[in-house]
């Protein structure tokens, strides 16, 4: 009885996030499910019947998995040597190069697509350079819409996942283990095969699972750079709904995608739990050494090449493409794509000045950040609540609940919003709140995951010490907990803000033509012909890249430094 | 002053405190001594108001305080490993309790400086606490506890996280600081280290498995452990099964595997009672001495410690037994026969069987 009364206060703050998840995640998904289960003019077929006809989606699933597998292998092949070099060797510019390799991961998918269009597209840097050099009429590199283009872009996007996870693991492991293997008679290759790689196997597995997950569910990159043959499930869901109006096939694909994502997510968290164990031998000191001998030097050069050519070059091409040099250094010519962002040259009715899109995006991102924090903080507190106080909801259940929005395809979510909120009881289509609501749902798992470790790390004895020193509970929360949580709270806010700024799949469906967000406008500009549209797309992508990079730099600066 | 009455507390369904009662007089330094897991820290946290007992009462200065929240008790508690606020400077940590009480900044500054001087860290005020060494952190934590002049001072294993050398140095200083700043303040000191308890306590409460096993002055507890269990926890290993042979007006004779020994009278023991004989390590001298209790044996391990030598001796009459003894002066080498004389005044009888 007493326990039940005590646990009541911890249940009240959870009511709001639960209600939110029920209304803005479960309700739209259920609506889609119900709609596609009954054959009608809207759905075009029956969900169950479609699920029983695997030929409707079998090819997409297999090709999607094949693409993701190939992307993962390429990313590992490029990332593992670089990860090892960054973890073990000290060389000129290593910090800068490592930071550069991390930039693509935080870029919005449309920016990545724009960057590769700027580098390898028909109008791209490589083609114009080669055409000029060789005097060709046609662009020699024809990669747009091919599998290699998707694979390269995915490797660009995800190589930092491998560097961060596996490299972080390697740098935490005592290099003397390798020296010990050498003194026991192992050659360099034997050491690699018997010690270095096996030690990192859980980390490699975890990184591979994540990369596979990201590339399997990739949307913006594949939609803008690929073609129908190499569509991912997410792109196919979009095509089926927006172009073919086959809701049943889309729902079937969304279901498969959710199952696959949750399964992979579970595999990944298993692997990460195993990775966490040996980190007890973490070394405080920097264990890197100068690369000596041809092997280590080659590795260091490879790492530098991955950073500069794979990660740096497309981003540089993006900026270069947005600043045309054909008019010399005259600012009016150099910055003409940026200047054109606020004009409507053709007086089109549907045209939205890109600067207004930036305002839309920033407004939505601000609302998302506030909402995600207001809902995520109670969830995180609920997940880390003292077990002996008997929380109403077990952390395991909350954890599972949070996997749900992570596994939901953004396109499906957007579709669900359009269908579910276009009729009573919730008539919301056209409301400017719909985008921040969808973005909050997508950002929520990340916000909770940023806050829970910080909340777990809060030493309860600090609050107790404050109490004994005469501080009432509310004051201890204010004076002890809040300052200690300030950094993760700001990081969570920035994460939610960035997620909203970069989100593409759901926005593409939800945003009204006259009220688009930046990624939607970039995609629209990229898909339209003409040098000006192309230049404007690059200019806008450059702006978005700058904002995202600045935000991530801020988060990086805010890493906690309390070492007590 | 402080009165703890029949406190019980469960932890994960198992009893941790099983009815602990104790009293502390005004100004007394009371040590709760026991192995980890005996519930002594939990008892301290109940007195502080951080944890709630299942049953029992806590009284202070004539009023029952169980219902008073921790922040309104005006007690001071120094936590294991300090629990300093990592986002505050050393001075702000020390001044925290004063600020909660609404003292003026000028008063806080003066008191903080005073305490920094007291713990020997003048000038450390502006330092961030994570730049301090382990010993410095413990001193700041002590200063933070003392600053608001608490009505009751509680210290929970304040020296346990320190290395041996720092531990010994801070133990001396802690005694001096408590004598100066905590004069007249009732103090509860929790430790598992008997050396700390013997050095600081006016009275020691030995706790075992959620119960008070013995209460007494350090000397009483050292000279006459209440049970074999307490004796073993205090580090005594020479415990012999014995039987009271005869009881006279001024002496008592006990029979052990090493022969009979005549000890000072114990009115609480009667003939034929099973008892344990404790031989403290300093009880033995090398060589036979007239009128003493002479034991022959063979030296097992021998370790030279400068002024003294530690010997493991296997007695000839009970080869299954090993006596651990500390002798001064020249000692025979390992494997050599030895004749010892044991002083009955350094032996005690402990009632009850071995358990």
């Amino acid at each position: 009885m007493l326990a039940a009364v005590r646990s009541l206060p911890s249940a009240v703050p959870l009511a709001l996030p639960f209600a939110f998840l029920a209304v803005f995640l479960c309700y739209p998904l259920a609506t889609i499910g119900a709609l596609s289960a009954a054959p009608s003019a809207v759905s075009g077929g029956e969900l169950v019947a479609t699920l029983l006809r695997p030929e409707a989606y079998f090819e997409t699933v297999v090709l999607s998995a094949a693409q993701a597998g190939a992307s993962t292998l390429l990313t590992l092949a490029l990332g593992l040597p670089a990860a090892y070099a960054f973890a073990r060797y000290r060389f000129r510019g290593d910090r800068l190069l490592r930071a550069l390799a991390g930039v693509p991961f935080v870029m919005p998918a449309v920016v990545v697509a724009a960057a590769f269009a700027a580098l390898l597209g028909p109008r791209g840097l490589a083609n114009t350079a080669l055409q000029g050099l060789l005097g060709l009429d046609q662009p020699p590199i024809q990669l747009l819409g091919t599998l290699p283009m998707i694979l390269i872009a995915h490797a660009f996007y995800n190589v930092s996942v491998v560097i961060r996870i596996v490299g972080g693991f390697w740098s935490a492991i005592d290099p003397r283990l390798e020296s010990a293997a050498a003194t026991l008679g192992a050659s360099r290759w034997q050491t690699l095969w018997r010690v270095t790689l096996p030690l990192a196997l859980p980390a490699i597995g975890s990184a591979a699972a994540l990369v596979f997950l990201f590339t399997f569910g990739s949307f913006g990159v594949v939609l803008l750079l690929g073609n129908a043959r190499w569509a991912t499930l997410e792109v196919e869901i979009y095509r089926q709904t927006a172009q073919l109006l086959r809701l049943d096939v889309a729902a079937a694909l969304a279901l498969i995608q959710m199952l696959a994502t949750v399964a992979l997510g579970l595999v990944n968290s298993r692997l990460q739990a195993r990775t966490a164990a040996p980190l007890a031998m973490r070394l405080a000191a920097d264990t890197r050494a100068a690369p000596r001998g041809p092997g280590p030097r080659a590795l260091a050069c490879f790492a530098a090449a991955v950073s500069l050519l794979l990660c740096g070059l497309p981003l540089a091409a993006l900026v270069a493409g947005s600043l045309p040099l054909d008019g010399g250094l005259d600012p009016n010519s150099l910055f003409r794509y940026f200047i054109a962002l606020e004009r409507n040259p053709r007086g089109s009715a549907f045209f939205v000045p890109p600067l207004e899109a930036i305002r839309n995006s920033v407004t939505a991102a601000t609302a998302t950040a506030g909402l995600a924090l207001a809902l995520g903080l109670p969830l995180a507190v609920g997940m880390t609540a003292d077990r002996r106080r008997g929380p109403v909801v077990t952390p395991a259940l909350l954890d599972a609940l949070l996997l749900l929005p992570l596994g939901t395809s953004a396109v499906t979510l957007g579709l669900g919003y359009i269908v579910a909120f276009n009729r009573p009881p919730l008539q919301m289509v056209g409301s400017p709140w719909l985008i921040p609501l969808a973005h909050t749902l997508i950002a929520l798992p990340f916000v909770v995951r940023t806050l829970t470790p910080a909340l777990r790390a809060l030493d309860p004895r600090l609050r107790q010490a404050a109490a004994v020193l005469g501080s009432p509970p509310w004051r201890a929360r204010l004076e002890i907990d809040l300052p200690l949580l300030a950094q993760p709270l700001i990081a969570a806010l920035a994460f939610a803000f960035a997620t909203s700024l970069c989100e593409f799949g759901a926005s593409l469906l939800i945003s009204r033509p006259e009220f688009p967000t930046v990624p939607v406008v970039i995609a629209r500009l990229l898909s339209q012909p003409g040098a000006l549209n192309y230049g404007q797309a690059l200019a806008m992508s450059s702006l978005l890249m700058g904002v995202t990079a600045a935000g991530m730099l801020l988060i990086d600066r805010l890493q906690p430094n309390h070492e007590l | 002053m402080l009165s703890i009455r029949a406190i019980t507390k469960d932890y994960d369904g198992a009893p941790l405190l099983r009815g602990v009662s104790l009293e502390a007089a005004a100004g007394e330094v009371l040590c709760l001594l026991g192995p980890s897991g005996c519930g002594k820290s939990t008892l301290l946290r109940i007195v502080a108001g951080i944890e709630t007992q299942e049953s029992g009462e806590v009284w202070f200065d004539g009023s029952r305080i169980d219902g008073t929240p921790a922040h309104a008790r005006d007690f001071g508690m120094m936590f294991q490993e300090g629990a300093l606020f990592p986002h505050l400077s050393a001075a702000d940590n020390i001044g925290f309790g004063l600020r909660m009480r609404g003292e003026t900044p000028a008063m806080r500054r003066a008191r903080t400086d005073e305490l920094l001087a007291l713990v020997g860290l003048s000038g450390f005020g502006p330092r961030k606490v994570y730049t301090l060494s382990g010993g410095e952190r413990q001193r700041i934590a002590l200063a933070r506890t003392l600053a608001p002049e608490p009505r009751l001072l509680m210290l929970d294993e304040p020296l346990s996280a320190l290395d041996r050398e720092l531990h010994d140095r801070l133990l001396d200083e802690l005694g001096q600081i408590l004598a100066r700043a905590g004069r007249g303040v009732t103090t509860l000191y929790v430790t598992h280290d008997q050396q700390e308890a013997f050095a600081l306590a006016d009275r020691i409460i030995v706790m075992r498995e959620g119960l008070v096993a013995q209460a007494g002055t350090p000397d009483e507890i050292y000279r006459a452990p209440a049970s074999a269990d307490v004796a073993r926890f205090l580090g005594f290993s020479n415990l012999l099964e014995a039987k009271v042979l005869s009881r006279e007006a001024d002496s008592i004779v006990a029979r052990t595997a090493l022969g009979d020994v005549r000890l000072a009278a114990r009115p609480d023991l009667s003939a034929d009672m099973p008892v344990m004989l404790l031989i403290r390590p300093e009880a033995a001298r090398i060589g036979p001495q007239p009128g003493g209790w002479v034991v022959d044996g063979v030296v097992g391990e021998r370790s030279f410690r400068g002024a003294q030598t530690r010997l493991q001796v296997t007695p000839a009459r009970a080869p299954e037994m090993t006596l651990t003894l500390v002798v001064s002066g020249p000692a025979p080498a390992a494997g050599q026969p030895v004749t010892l004389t044991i002083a009955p005044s350094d032996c005690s009888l402990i009632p009850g069987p071995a358990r």
Side-chain angles (χ1 to χ4, degrees), chain A residues 446-467:
Chain A
F446 298 101
V447 167
V448 173
R449 254 144 230 221
T450 309
L451 293 178
T452 41
L455 281 165
R456 279 207 191 93
L458 272 187
D459 186 348
R461 288 179 312 165
L462 295 181
R463 213 179 305 136
Q464 293 163 359

Side-chain angles (χ1 to χ4, degrees), chain A residues 153-236:
Chain A
H154 278 163
F156 161 86
Y157 216 166
N158 293 307
V159 77
S160 78
V161 175
V162 178
I163 292 179
R164 198 173 307 175
I165 294 180
V166 185
F169 190 83
W170 267 326
S171 61
I173 283 179
D174 196 337
R176 282 174 301 182
L177 289 177
E178 288 167 20
S179 309
T183 62
L184 292 168
S187 73
R188 195 168 277 184
W189 274 108
Q190 282 170 319
T191 306
L192 181 69
W193 277 112
R194 300 280 176 200
V195 180
T196 313
L197 281 176
L199 267 177
L201 213 53
I204 295 172
S206 175
L210 267 184
V211 174
F212 190 89
L213 200 64
F214 289 147
T215 52
F216 188 69
S218 177
F219 179 62
V221 168
V222 179
L223 183 73
L224 296 171
L225 293 179
N227 62 11
R229 181 170 164 73
W230 292 103
T232 54
L233 288 184
E234 189 83 328
V235 171
E236 189 59 21

